[in-house]
Amino acid sequence: MDFSPDRPAFFVNPDYRPMAGTNKPVIDPATLETVGAIAAASDGEIDAVLTAATKAQAAWKKLDAKSRAKHLHAVANAIEAADFTRCAELMVREMGKPYPEAIGEIANCAPIFRYYAEMARDDAGKIAGTTQAGSFQYARYEPYGVSVHIMPYNFPILLMCWTVAASLAAGNACIIKPAEATTLSTSDYMTVFRSLPEGLVSCLPGGAATAQALIASDRTHAVAFTGSVAAGKAVAVACAERMKPCVIEAGGSDPLIVSQYAPLDVAAAGSVTAAFHLTGQVCTSAERFFVVEAVHDRFVELFAERTRALRIGNGMDKTEIGPLVSEAARAKVMRLVDDAIAHGAKAVTGGRIPPAHNVGWFYEPTILTGVTPDMAIVREECFGPVAAICRVRDFDEAIRLANDSPFGLGASVFTTDLAEAHEAAERLEAGMVWVNNPLIDNDALPFGGWKASGLGRELGRQGLDAFRRSKMVIIDHRPTIQEWWYPYPDSWFRETGGRKHV
């Protein structure tokens, strides 16, 4: 069958199969209209996916690196050739992001498959200096088996491709558990995998129970998760109980520092994207701003001017700020903003539901000043269109307060002082540091967080290693009886008090 948003289905490459569960409507967060329907996987559907993945992986792991790379390049070719108009529109209507961001995310995933196709060909292991003459000693890498990919709603396709490409390149089969909020667009995207061997990639809709079942199964062997800190901890614990490796990207509350040496026009423009991209629903959004007092007022003026120019509306229209994904997501943002204002902060812009958009889960991009480090909006992850600005004395205080957080995903700095740039790279407690250009990533560099923001890394060589295990191999090409083997020669013993000791 072909995929239809109105008929819940799960995907086992190359086919869609109808789901037997109760339909749940998918609601457009901008219009509150029904977009389609989804269902949660049944035990039988989970079993069917696991059976197909296990069978497919047994053959896939035996393929040579060149053949496996050819398959991944075919996926990249399919991505580059496909018309993703419907997929992008579904994503906009499911979770609200502006159409240019949706189509860009969906269409630009081919390079990650090409990157890992070639990396897996080049990285076969390591030969070590031998510890014994005549012995060939090396490490090789092998796949885990079947990997589970539990995806978020904010970048459902891109982040899925990051880990699926690496896992396939390593020799695993992949089962994707999409976010409930973006099940339709993720399911629609699955056609790009049709050139792969049967059963190698599956997409299994459902909620937390489906994820838990996949993690608990003895037929899955590694897990990739992106989502909240609370859910990430639960996944990590479930994996630990089963000695199952996992990669956890658990979000954060990223700091952004504006130095007295910052190029303020660039800092203001960059801060608009850093704080408000995807309505602030980005794990690496800049949420906590630390602005040196010498430039504080001018920066706020420029930042507010650019923020007020942003267009709010339906993601299918010409807009930068779409709705939040749900009523609950907006309620959290409103709670944190209202609490900050109650404790002395001031809303320079925003701080309210836009009057022209009282249908849907819209909230104005908001800049708060007079924020103090003890406020809830600084201590929690907001995950909405809010920039909370703290005035600081100097760069050192900014670094100290930026690090005073349980989170450690990314951190941004605007400065033209080279010493400050290097100080920031060295001293900031985060998995990623951006100087003068926030939110950039690179397929060849590791992506992930410190502290409560995650475990392990996606992308780069570490992203490939996350989905394979090492094996030490020792080969003696001239078999010889070794002198340290049993039994020990008498000369190795000495007499002490009537007893022999080695």
Side-chain angles (χ1 to χ4, degrees), residues 251-374:
S253 179
D254 281 10
L256 187 151
I257 295 171
V258 180
S259 158
Q260 64 178 318
Y261 304 112
L264 292 184
D265 55 340
V266 176
S271 293
V272 170
T273 295
F276 305 129
H277 182 60
L278 192 54
T279 319
Q281 299 172 117
V282 181
C283 297
T284 51
S285 286
E287 297 191 4
R288 299 178 295 130
F289 282 66
F290 301 100
V291 183
V292 173
E293 60 185 356
V295 297
H296 177 277
D297 293 351
R298 181 56 178 158
F299 169 77
V300 170
E301 180 183 350
L302 293 172
F303 187 20
E305 180 183 345
R306 287 184 173 273
T307 298
R308 294 188 186 103
L310 298 177
R311 294 164 289 189
I312 303 170
N314 191 315
M316 295 302 298
D317 301 328
K318 292 180 179 179
T319 183
E320 289 84 28
I321 305 296
L324 288 145
V325 71
S326 67
E327 183 177 15
R330 186 176 72 175
K332 179 182 179 181
V333 173
M334 292 172 66
R335 170 179 65 82
L336 291 172
V337 170
D338 292 347
D339 176 80
I341 292 173
H343 286 86
K346 176 186 176 183
V348 176
T349 62
R352 63 177 186 170
I353 296 170
H357 298 282
N358 55 7
V359 175
W361 313 126
F362 293 95
Y363 196 75
E364 289 186 354
T366 299
I367 298 173
L368 298 175
T369 57
V371 174
T372 56
D374 58 327

Side-chain angles (χ1 to χ4, degrees), residues 131-483:
T131 60
Q132 188 171 290
S135 182
F136 178 43
Q137 303 175 354
Y138 67 100
R140 55 175 287 138
Y141 295 99
E142 299 180 8
Y144 282 110
V146 176
S147 58
V148 177
H149 304 256
I150 303 169
M151 294 291 101
Y153 68 81
N154 55 350
F155 294 98
I157 305 301
L158 179 66
L159 299 187
M160 178 265 292
C161 289
W162 281 8
T163 58
V164 166
S167 186
L168 289 172
N172 302 289
C174 298
I175 300 174
I176 298 153
K177 208 295 291 180
E180 287 188 281
T182 44
T183 293
L184 300 181
S185 54
T186 305
S187 297
D188 189 73
Y189 195 79
M190 290 298 108
T191 56
V192 304
F193 297 113
R194 278 179 161 162
S195 63
L196 293 175
E198 182 178 348
L200 191 64
V201 173
S202 300
C203 182
L204 192 63
T210 302
Q212 290 163 358
L214 290 171
I215 294 170
S217 173
D218 59 7
R219 288 184 284 173
T220 65
H221 311 94
V223 176
F225 168 86
T226 301
S228 70
V229 171
K233 287 180 178 179
V235 169
V237 168
C239 289
E241 289 176 342
R242 295 161 180 82
M243 299 296 283
K244 193 171 290 188
C246 59
V247 177
I248 306 291
E249 200 268 88
S253 179
D254 281 10
L256 187 151
I257 295 171
V258 180
S259 158
Q260 64 178 318
Y261 304 112
L264 292 184
D265 55 340
V266 176
S271 293
V272 170
T273 295
F276 305 129
H277 182 60
L278 192 54
T279 319
Q281 299 172 117
V282 181
C283 297
T284 51
S285 286
E287 297 191 4
R288 299 178 295 130
F289 282 66
F290 301 100
V291 183
V292 173
E293 60 185 356
V295 297
H296 177 277
D297 293 351
R298 181 56 178 158
F299 169 77
V300 170
E301 180 183 350
L302 293 172
F303 187 20
E305 180 183 345
R306 287 184 173 273
T307 298
R308 294 188 186 103
L310 298 177
R311 294 164 289 189
I312 303 170
N314 191 315
M316 295 302 298
D317 301 328
K318 292 180 179 179
T319 183
E320 289 84 28
I321 305 296
L324 288 145
V325 71
S326 67
E327 183 177 15
R330 186 176 72 175
K332 179 182 179 181
V333 173
M334 292 172 66
R335 170 179 65 82
L336 291 172
V337 170
D338 292 347
D339 176 80
I341 292 173
H343 286 86
K346 176 186 176 183
V348 176
T349 62
R352 63 177 186 170
I353 296 170
H357 298 282
N358 55 7
V359 175
W361 313 126
F362 293 95
Y363 196 75
E364 289 186 354
T366 299
I367 298 173
L368 298 175
T369 57
V371 174
T372 56
D374 58 327
M375 291 181 180
I377 200 162
V378 175
R379 308 312 300 175
E380 299 181 30
E381 181 179 27
C382 180
F383 220 64
V386 182
I389 300 179
C390 299
R391 184 193 296 261
V392 296
R393 292 187 305 274
D394 54 28
F395 188 75
D396 279 343
E397 184 181 24
I399 293 285
R400 179 178 62 79
L401 292 175
N403 288 339
D404 182 20
S405 171
F407 304 104
L409 188 55
S412 297
V413 178
F414 282 94
T415 183
T416 55
D417 184 275
L418 184 60
E420 285 187 342
H422 283 288
E423 281 280 306
E426 180 178 337
R427 294 170 58 190
L428 283 168
E429 296 171 359
M432 296 161 287
V433 175
W434 296 282
V435 179
N436 298 328
N437 194 359
L439 306 188
I440 295 297
D441 56 62
N442 183 328
D443 292 348
L445 294 175
F447 185 102
W450 289 15
K451 300 190 281 190
S453 289
L455 298 170
R457 290 293 181 269
E458 300 166 353
L459 300 182
R461 189 177 302 274
Q462 293 178 34
L464 179 64
D465 288 343
F467 294 100
R468 58 187 191 172
R469 49 194 168 187
S470 62
K471 179 184 289 180
M472 183 184 77
V473 180
I474 307 292
I475 299 176
D476 281 21
H477 57 279
R478 290 184 177 178
T480 302
I481 296 175
Q482 303 296 327
E483 64 174 9

Side-chain angles (χ1 to χ4, degrees), residues 29-60:
T31 65
L32 305 188
E33 296 173 352
T34 299
V35 179
I38 60 174
S42 67
D43 290 345
E45 289 160 352
I46 294 172
D47 180 72
V49 165
L50 289 168
T51 299
T54 301
K55 180 180 178 182
Q57 198 271 333
W60 180 249

